[in-house]
Amino acid sequence: MSEQPQILFKYRNVENYNNIDVYMKHEGYAAARKALQMEPDAVIEEIKASGLRGRGGAGFPTHIKWNGIPKNWDKPHYLVINADEGEPGTAKDRELMNKMPHLLVEGCIIAARAIRSNRCYIYIRGEYMEPGQSVRKAIQEAYDKGFLGKNIQGSGFDLDIHVHMGAGSYECGEESALMSSLMGERGMPRHKPPSAPLPVISGVWDSPTIVNNVETVATAAPILNMGGAAYGKIGSGRSLGTKLFTVSGHVNKPANYEFVLGTPIREILETAGGPLNGKPLKFFIPGGSSTPLFPATDKFLDLPLDYETMMANGSMLGSGGLMFFDEGVSVPALMTRLMHFYAHESCGKCTPCREGTNWLTKIHDRIMAGGGRHEDIDLLLDICNNIGGRSFCALGDAAAMPIQGALKYFRHEYEALIPDRSLSSRIYAPLPVAAG
Amino acid sequence: MFTVEAKEQLDNIVKKYPTKRAALLPALWLAQEQYDGWLPPEALREVAGYLEMPPAEVEGVATFYTMYNKEKIGKFHIEVCHNIACMVRGADALIDQIGEKLGIGKGETTPDGKFTLSGAECLGACANAPCMMIGAKYFEDLTPEKVDAIVEEYKKK
Amino acid sequence: MAETITQAPETVNLTIDGKKVTVPKGTLLITAAFQAGADVPYFCHHPRLKPAGACRMCLVRIEKMAKLQTACTVPVSEGMVVDTLSPEVKQAQQGILEFLLINHPLDCPICDRGGECPLQNMTFQYGPGVTRFIDEKRHFPKPVPLNDYVSIDRERCIQCSRCTRFQAEIAGDGALAIESRGNSAVIAPFSLDGFQSHFSGNTVELCPVGALLSRPYRFQSRPWEFHSTDSVCSMCGVGCNIAVQTRTNQLMRVNSRLNEDVNEEWTCDTGKFEQYWVNSEERITTPMIRRASVLKPCSWDEALTAVAEAFSSAAKSSSNTVAGIGSTRTSNEEAYLFQRIFRTALGSNNIDHRMHDFPIRPMETSLAAIGEAKAIVAIGFDPKQYLPVVWLRIYKAISNGNATYAHVSSVDDPAVEAALAVGEGAILLTDDHIASADLDKLTKRAKSAGAKINVLLPDNNSWGAILMGVLPDRLPSLQPVGNGARPKFEALWGGPVPDKPGLATWDILKAGAAGDIRALYVLGSNPVASFPDRDLAASALEKIPFVVVQDLFLSESAQYANVFLPASSFIEKAGTFTNIEGRVQPFGAAIRPVGDSKPDWQILSELYARLGASAPFFGPADIAREIAHSADKNTFAGDRR
Ligand SMILES: Cc1cc2nc3c(=O)[nH]c(=O)nc-3n(C[C@H](O)[C@H](O)[C@H](O)COP(=O)(O)O)c2cc1C
Ligand code: SF4
Ligand code: FES
């Protein structure tokens, strides 16, 4: 097995690492100090050299985003941390916030410095009340030690960080919906290019805004410590550095792990203790519930887990939620559950997602209940095609993609659920009683 | 009604944002605390008045998020994750088990108003599935035995 | 090339379906597409609302972009190449329509919107012929009344958010919001209050399906059955342009009609829902004459002869003993005729329409200009209650231009000073209850600050009554009775016109109570209820030997009538009203006069003949022609502003 450098998890097992004194004994706030002495653009250069890409799901190069912030505007700039972590299969930001909150706070200082922001909001999903407390405590400690507030460490740079708790909505992880939510609105997404400027120009309160995932920002500290170029030597191609993966499902040691991007999936599986109780695996989901699944065959288990390879094979690295499923799991049953999730979380703003996820759910329920028709399978695909690329935000796509993956490899499992002599398409529902 | 301290708290929250409206989510959290764990329309009216917003819009926001309770719920809200990572590690059986123990189904509250049982979407503890939360507290790596003990403990509270 | 671009940086060139179009910078693609003749389907888009991109019906292909884009949200850009016709685009639109229909009830035959429903039309044009949806549709309780006027059928709602955006962005009250989310999302007002808005009816017209419904109109008619007549609202001085929709000689519905300068495309709820009095069973539709102290039906001839006799005999003894109290609600033509009869046939200037004295002062800005003001103060009245559509202009200034706004009770309020400090761009609004002394004070301050003052009059033809000369001291066009304009009118009217000012309403009533008036003509007004000193009005009407009341209902004043002349409502006649800005707006006759009632102009014209006029008028157009001839341009021109 290859050597796995631990960068974010370097001090994971240090006791009381969430305490600022302990944290500072382990390189803590050295990177922030460094950043405060650098020109903002020089910080961005380091990030550029590191090749860091967003860890929230889309994998967008972080330095490009940061560089998009206008340099000479008198409007305030906002740094918003996406700690909504709602993607089923993903539980890494929670561990970061619970056990190493100062990594996040330090990352915020670095990011804020780079984008010349004096105000940062950490948007934490409502269920994460414990991580919320942990982060709040870390922020207080950082204020007490002079790493936050006015004129940080004599640098002339000011930064305030506020924790903003969500209240139960997966959609609020989508960055524009998150901004709506932060501004006190329903968690509905906002216009994106070409309909409106990017958030770096006009985000929250019409001001330049950066939204970054917890892990993305937390990685900034070790990057500055080790140097961007050194970080960029890890991994390959455009998938550089390490990433946290939440390994869950049917494995013996489910947990969050840090792996170099491009590590073969099989190696990750083995690190996680292999299949639960040795029971053969049927399939796995590489990057969180929204990413299309792969059968657990040698071909797919041998793939290196990186952005490009996943994409080339019809899935995505996503947020790093690697989920393994053994033979006992019915793909249609799993998809049924997932469709209920997406239908429940659809914000309802746009037609394809609101109606489509609901329709997909109803067809799945009917198939599971023995009322499936052969044409339902193509209908499912058709519905997915009519959602994909046409919804307002990516939640619609996120609901359609798993079905597309499931039907690509496990269509036979759906077919097996359809009674031999299923009703034809001409089913007439009883006439509804006309009410005005 | 908000207490004087809660109003002070709200004043401080508002200061954290460039607009009053942005304080809506925290204000609703606070209101939910003040109103015994849920948000009756009177609470929404109070928040609307404080933040100078149309009450219809406050209600629209409050009903968007699942953690703002639109009805009175039990003192302890048991939310068992039933999303896929937990599902394949036995979540549904746990829900049934708790339901049987408390004599209620998913979405119901015990007659004494002590427990409400719900299924929850992914709680973000997939690596420690199955999991559940009661109030703000998470319980992970659940087994039938662990669940039994937890429920017993809460029954005594 | 470069030169032309720098010279005209405000336009953008693009290609839509192979056609080149040039549009102003910032135009939304959907607007440009319409200009290019492309037929892009849409639901949530509305040119007066902020783009939502919610329904996704308007998906089009823009070259070089990975996904289809919603034409209603994308601003055009130079060189954009757009395709709205390809099979890919059509398939996408059909897919969206199918989604919209899966949960939509198939109750078009009993839906009020049927026949004028964008969803129905779109389905006809783009929709699938058969449904692939066999599961249970979404259910909600229905229909749910939201206020006195509007109900919602949530099963029909397609979540386009036009209604909620209207309430937030145009009405400025946020009275409707989307509640819950996803598939369970519903449109709802605050649960404790209901749909509290002065503008709720607009959402019924905005709703692209039959989800928001007019309660008075529900199940009354099908849109293809009624006749629609261009009209002007009779309920306040704004003069919103409306379509009066009628069937079986009854009013079915009032819809708004576009007029950018006046109401854009909105109305208030009073205008939309409170005009059903025209259908009222309580209307009096036969002339009545008092016999043995009881009003008894009689013929028109009997009634008019009695009126003519009473007035001419009184006038013969002294023209000071006749008087007329006109109305702020009858048409210009009627007001004009009324004063002409008094001045020529009866030789009296004892005519008025005012219930109290107020400064007669034209608006200094247009209504539209209020929407562009920088600072607005409403003094002594609440525009939302009174002239609601003026509030829409105020809110426009607040929301688009960040104008400051205050509604205060006194001219000395500090908010007035603050607005005046803004100088040019500040507009002070007040109503006809402002004291002249206050107004003079205010005028001085406004003048030196460069601010404008608009005194807003309340009724649909308040300005008309003034400009038509229903005043004791003024001829049409505000010409004083004593000055050089009189000979012109004498020539036109073919007889002498008294040159001394007559009695104002309050003096008429005082004289009446003192026994000095012998015949009083009450035209479309109701002094016993509206004159501030009701007791004086009642004792005057009691004392005056002959009172004629011309109205639709047996008003309080009609209790004192010797003769009651049943008038027709504004939808039964044609004419013009002059709004608060002085804008003269025509309205048409939508139905025949109800029962034996007659339009006021016709009653007056027939009376005029009985009083010896040589050339009575055969229609409002006849009168209008004379007004146009006699009045100065500012009094009677539709395009004054
Ligand atoms: C439906 C949906 C849910 C999302 N949820 C999350 C989330 O919980 N956390 C997160 O960091 N990003 C989430 N994203 C991705 C964000 O939109 C965004 O790409 C990310 O916050 C950018 O940060 P990064 O560049 O640091 O990755 C979600 C996206 C979608 C479409
Ligand atoms: S795809 Fe549409 S309905 Fe779904 S979450 Fe995004 S905007 Fe809302
Ligand atoms: S009209 Fe464009 S999305 Fe609705």
Side-chain angles (χ1 to χ4, degrees), chain A residues 171 189 346-350 353-354 391-393 395-396:
Chain A
E171 170 60 4
S346 164
C347 82
K349 180 184 177 112
C350 75
C353 171
R354 178 185 67 246
S391 49
F392 191 102
C393 78
L395 192 146

Coordinates of all heavy atoms in Angstrom, one line a residue, chain A residues 171 189 346-350 353-354 391-393 395-396, ligand 2:
Chain A
E171 N -30.7 21.8 0.4 CA -30.5 22.8 -0.7 C -29.6 23.9 -0.3 O -29.0 24.6 -1.1 CB -31.9 23.2 -1.3 CG -31.9 24.4 -2.2 CD -31.1 24.2 -3.5 OE1 -30.6 23.0 -3.7 OE2 -30.9 25.1 -4.3
P189 N -32.2 29.0 -4.6 CA -30.9 29.4 -5.3 C -31.2 30.8 -6.0 O -32.3 31.2 -6.3 CB -30.7 28.3 -6.4 CG -32.1 27.7 -6.6 CD -32.8 27.8 -5.3
S346 N -36.0 19.2 -2.5 CA -36.2 20.1 -3.6 C -36.8 21.4 -3.1 O -37.8 21.3 -2.3 CB -37.1 19.5 -4.7 OG -37.6 20.5 -5.5
C347 N -36.2 22.5 -3.4 CA -36.8 23.7 -2.8 C -38.1 24.1 -3.4 O -38.9 24.8 -2.8 CB -35.8 24.9 -3.0 SG -35.8 25.7 -4.6
G348 N -38.4 23.6 -4.6 CA -39.7 23.8 -5.3 C -39.7 25.0 -6.2 O -40.7 25.3 -6.8
K349 N -38.6 25.7 -6.3 CA -38.6 26.9 -7.2 C -38.9 26.5 -8.6 O -39.7 27.1 -9.3 CB -37.3 27.6 -7.0 CG -37.2 28.9 -7.9 CD -35.8 29.5 -7.8 CE -35.7 30.7 -8.7 NZ -35.6 32.0 -8.0
C350 N -38.1 25.5 -9.1 CA -38.2 25.3 -10.6 C -39.0 24.0 -10.9 O -39.0 23.1 -10.1 CB -36.8 25.2 -11.2 SG -35.9 23.7 -10.9
C353 N -37.3 20.1 -11.3 CA -36.9 19.5 -10.0 C -38.1 19.2 -9.1 O -38.3 18.1 -8.6 CB -35.8 20.3 -9.4 SG -35.4 19.8 -7.7
R354 N -38.9 20.2 -9.0 CA -40.1 20.0 -8.1 C -41.0 18.9 -8.5 O -41.4 18.0 -7.8 CB -40.9 21.3 -8.0 CG -42.1 21.3 -7.1 CD -42.9 22.6 -7.2 NE -43.5 22.8 -8.5 CZ -43.2 23.7 -9.4 NH1 -42.3 24.6 -9.0 NH2 -43.8 23.8 -10.5
S391 N -32.8 22.2 -14.8 CA -33.3 22.8 -13.5 C -32.6 24.0 -13.2 O -31.6 24.3 -13.8 CB -33.1 21.7 -12.4 OG -31.8 21.2 -12.4
F392 N -33.1 24.8 -12.2 CA -32.5 26.1 -11.9 C -31.1 25.9 -11.3 O -30.2 26.6 -11.6 CB -33.4 26.8 -10.9 CG -33.0 28.2 -10.7 CD1 -33.7 29.3 -11.3 CD2 -32.0 28.6 -9.9 CE1 -33.4 30.6 -11.2 CE2 -31.6 29.9 -9.7 CZ -32.3 30.9 -10.3
C393 N -31.0 24.9 -10.4 CA -29.7 24.7 -9.8 C -29.4 23.2 -9.9 O -30.1 22.4 -10.5 CB -29.7 25.1 -8.3 SG -30.5 23.9 -7.2
L395 N -29.4 20.8 -7.9 CA -30.1 19.8 -7.1 C -30.9 18.8 -8.1 O -31.0 17.6 -7.9 CB -31.0 20.3 -6.1 CG -31.5 19.3 -5.0 CD1 -31.7 19.9 -3.7 CD2 -32.8 18.7 -5.4
G396 N -31.5 19.5 -9.1 CA -32.2 18.7 -10.1 C -31.3 17.6 -10.7 O -31.6 16.4 -10.8
Ligands
SF4_2 S1 -33.3 22.3 -9.0 FE1 -35.0 23.8 -8.9 S2 -36.5 23.1 -7.4 FE2 -34.6 21.9 -7.2 S3 -33.6 22.8 -5.6 FE3 -32.7 23.8 -7.4 S4 -34.1 25.5 -7.8 FE4 -35.1 24.3 -6.2

